[in-house]
Amino acid sequence: MHFAPDTEGALEFVVALGDTDPGASRSGRDELETLADLAALLAPIPFTGRIDADAAELRDVRQTRALLRRVWTLDRDDAVIEVNRILREARALPQLARHDVSDWHLHATVPEAPLGERMRVEAALALIDVIRSDEMGRLRICAADACTGLVLDLSRNGSKRFCSVRCGNRMNMIAFRERQAAEPTPEASRRARG
């Protein structure tokens, strides 16, 4: 599946944000508990505009994480309702922008808008493309046991099941061990024949 670069980037950020949740994070802890955690999340992302780096902003971003994790799992029609609500509440006005190393892409809030609001609106703009392409099925929760990581499936055939290679390997090892346990040992086979 191919989306515009800004759409893919926004969806990849939703995955990064969503995977700070304790059920999805590599550490097993809430990786968005502190201002330092928020700074670490934002470090590789070229977010422009206002960043307050205070407790109120952290709370808002944590609420944004919960909202976007929920929207990620909705069916297409329910996602439309949430996307429209996000855009309406932010009074979003989509505009083309070009800055830094980014070519023309969409912004729909002013740079002075709160960080959480800008995150929600960027995600909503990306979800518009997913919804219009009828590709909500490419947004999933990891199929691994005890993992709630977000899966963004951009593969050609839409078959990605796990949030990471680690989860895929873990589930493959479990399946292998189950098959091994189900196969009779050579000694058990000899006793059964003889």
Side-chain angles (χ1 to χ4, degrees), residues 68-181:
L68 295 179
R69 283 184 62 80
R70 189 173 60 74
V71 173
W72 198 263
T73 64
L74 295 176
D75 67 36
R76 186 178 184 209
D77 291 341
D78 290 335
V80 167
I81 293 166
E82 288 299 317
V83 165
N84 285 340
R85 184 184 59 75
I86 290 167
L87 296 172
R88 188 174 50 253
E89 287 177 0
R91 294 183 181 96
L93 179 60
Q95 302 174 54
L96 286 168
R98 181 169 57 188
H99 52 81
D100 305 322
V101 297
S102 300
D103 200 3
W104 291 110
H105 59 282
L106 284 174
H107 279 274
T109 59
V110 296
E112 297 78 28
L115 178 62
E117 180 177 291
R118 287 182 287 130
M119 288 177 175
R120 291 186 295 274
V121 170
E122 274 198 34
L125 291 175
L127 288 166
I128 288 170
D129 286 351
V130 176
I131 291 165
R132 291 177 61 222
S133 300
D134 197 13
E135 294 289 352
M136 287 298 291
R138 292 189 176 265
L139 312 180
R140 298 190 273 280
I141 300 296
C142 184
D145 297 339
C147 181
T148 61
L150 300 183
V151 175
L152 171 59
D153 186 357
L154 298 175
S155 69
R156 181 173 283 171
N157 65 2
S159 62
K160 186 174 179 182
R161 297 178 42 219
F162 303 108
C163 66
S164 66
V165 172
R166 185 182 64 141
C167 278
N169 287 344
R170 185 167 51 87
M171 294 309 295
N172 288 336
M173 183 54 74
I174 289 169
F176 173 76
R177 288 180 180 151
E178 287 173 352
R179 285 191 307 274
Q180 291 295 97

Side-chain angles (χ1 to χ4, degrees), residues 184-193:
T185 62
E187 187 175 311
S189 295
R190 281 193 297 270
R191 276 187 259 162
R193 283 183 282 179

